[in-house]
Amino acid sequence: MTAHIASASTVEEAVVALERDGVVLLPDLLTAEQLDLAQRDLFALMDNITNGKDPEFMGTKTRRASSLFGRTRALDPVVTHPLYLETARRLLATPTPMWFGQDRVEVAPTLQIGAAQCIQIRQGQGLQPLHRDDFVFHNPHPGPQVQLGMMLAVSDFTEENGATRVIPGSHLWDDERRPQIEETIAAEMKAGSALLWLGSTFHGGGQNVTTESIRTGVVIALVKGYLRQEENHYLALAPEQVAVLSTQIQELLGYAVSDPFMGWIERGGEAVSPSVVLGELVAAGLTSHVTA
């Protein structure tokens, strides 16, 4: 464990830091043009979102917006960035040996987006309770890693305006050890940079008590493809919204089969990818609920 948050510029460096510390900083992940687009779209989106009403976890001076892949194309190069996606594959898409009859084979799961949300911490927001993101899966600790989270800094993150707080090394703790705010480090970073952390790493939103600076970030979670997604993308996004996305992002949203047989749809007596049904829905002009 390090006493600070390590930085990485390669997949190998990121994997080493995450396995050791449970968290790593990716400076300047986005190009200037990519950051400009993200700021333009997301600042405008958050201007029309109201503050939350949950005083304990979500915050009352915090704004949140989801269904992001139906609202902006600015995040397409973020979730598919090789430094994020390949790091997640190295950590999560590990093959499992199994018997198929007399054959010994190894099967690796796909990756999918568990959730994607823009989070804006505004003046007056206190600390978020420290937590592990993999608690949604009732994951025991120590145990297998099932999730890799990212916080993309859309604005500058400072300790004063609510930078995410993390506890390096806490991914190695068992479920009896209680996290303390004194053990946390503020993940300060410039806009366009990103923080990665394992689902088992304790973290929480920082406080923004004294500054008028608004901290805007996008949190994305990649999880193993055989788990249920935290955000229900099938209902949050209409089929025609998903249809315009790249095949890679469609699959990350869950329109794929995770080997060997997770998530299929039957057509003509055969198990097929849900992407087939997506095409049928679009061709028929059917839509699902679209979040306003």
Side-chain angles (χ1 to χ4, degrees):
M1 185 188 104
T2 61
H4 64 283
I5 300 175
S7 297
S9 58
T10 68
V11 172
E12 289 72 22
E13 291 174 348
V15 169
V16 168
L18 285 162
E19 289 180 337
R20 182 189 63 218
D21 305 329
V23 60
V24 68
L25 179 65
L26 307 180
D28 303 316
L29 187 73
L30 298 189
T31 66
E33 293 76 16
Q34 290 170 340
L35 178 59
D36 285 344
L37 177 59
Q39 290 179 331
R40 186 195 70 192
D41 286 2
L42 294 170
F43 288 161
L45 170 64
M46 301 310 288
D47 283 344
N48 295 311
I49 301 295
T50 58
N51 289 347
K53 299 179 181 180
D54 177 6
E56 295 185 1
F57 191 80
M58 297 297 184
T60 57
K61 299 296 182 181
T62 297
R63 298 182 179 184
R64 297 171 183 267
S66 301
S67 307
L68 294 181
F69 289 93
R71 289 171 146 161
T72 177
R73 298 276 59 77
L75 300 179
D76 294 8
V78 178
V79 73
T80 59
H81 195 290
L83 192 49
Y84 181 35
L85 197 54
E86 293 306 316
T87 298
R89 286 199 177 104
R90 287 271 296 272
L91 293 168
L92 304 180
T94 51
T96 300
M98 58 185 69
W99 288 103
F100 270 24
Q102 299 302 301
D103 297 323
R104 185 66 166 172
V105 299
E106 290 190 340
V107 179
T110 60
L111 296 177
Q112 60 182 347
I113 301 168
Q117 191 173 69
C118 187
I119 304 175
Q120 195 173 71
I121 294 179
R122 305 171 79 90
Q123 186 178 24
Q125 178 61 57
L127 289 168
Q128 185 185 42
L130 296 173
H131 60 283
R132 287 165 154 158
D133 283 342
D134 65 3
F135 72 162
V136 299
F137 302 116
H138 301 256
N139 212 41
H141 306 96
Q145 299 298 335
V146 298
Q147 179 170 326
L148 181 64
M150 168 197 278
M151 175 63 81
L152 173 72
V154 182
S155 65
D156 290 344
F157 276 38
T158 68
E159 186 162 12
E160 293 74 24
N161 75 3
T164 305
R165 306 196 68 88
V166 295
I167 305 180
S170 58
H171 65 304
L172 302 175
W173 297 358
D174 62 24
D175 287 314
E176 299 304 313
R177 182 167 175 177
R178 179 185 302 171
Q180 304 291 343
I181 192 64
E182 293 79 15
E183 299 174 282
T184 63
I185 297 174
E188 296 187 298
M189 53 183 169
K190 291 294 186 182
S193 302
L195 185 76
L196 302 186
W197 66 90
L198 295 173
S200 55
T201 301
F202 276 108
H203 67 285
Q207 62 182 355
N208 185 353
V209 177
T210 61
T211 174
E212 294 184 1
S213 172
I214 298 174
R215 192 221 79 173
T216 304
V218 170
V219 62
I220 299 174
L222 289 176
V223 303
K224 290 176 180 280
Y226 55 75
L227 297 172
R228 182 173 181 178
Q229 294 155 295
E230 183 178 352
E231 180 182 2
N232 193 322
H233 304 298
Y234 306 110
L235 295 179
L237 302 175
E240 65 268 23
Q241 289 179 299
V242 180
V244 301
L245 303 175
S246 69
T247 300
Q248 186 179 29
I249 295 179
Q250 289 177 358
E251 292 176 349
L252 286 171
L253 286 169
Y255 289 87
V257 172
S258 184
D259 286 341
F261 301 115
M262 185 62 71
W264 52 269
I265 296 287
E266 184 270 328
R267 284 294 183 271
E270 299 291 335
V272 301
S273 169
S275 61
V276 173
V277 180
L278 173 64
E280 294 173 352
L281 292 173
V282 173
L286 301 177
T287 62
S288 62
H289 172 71
V290 182
T291 302

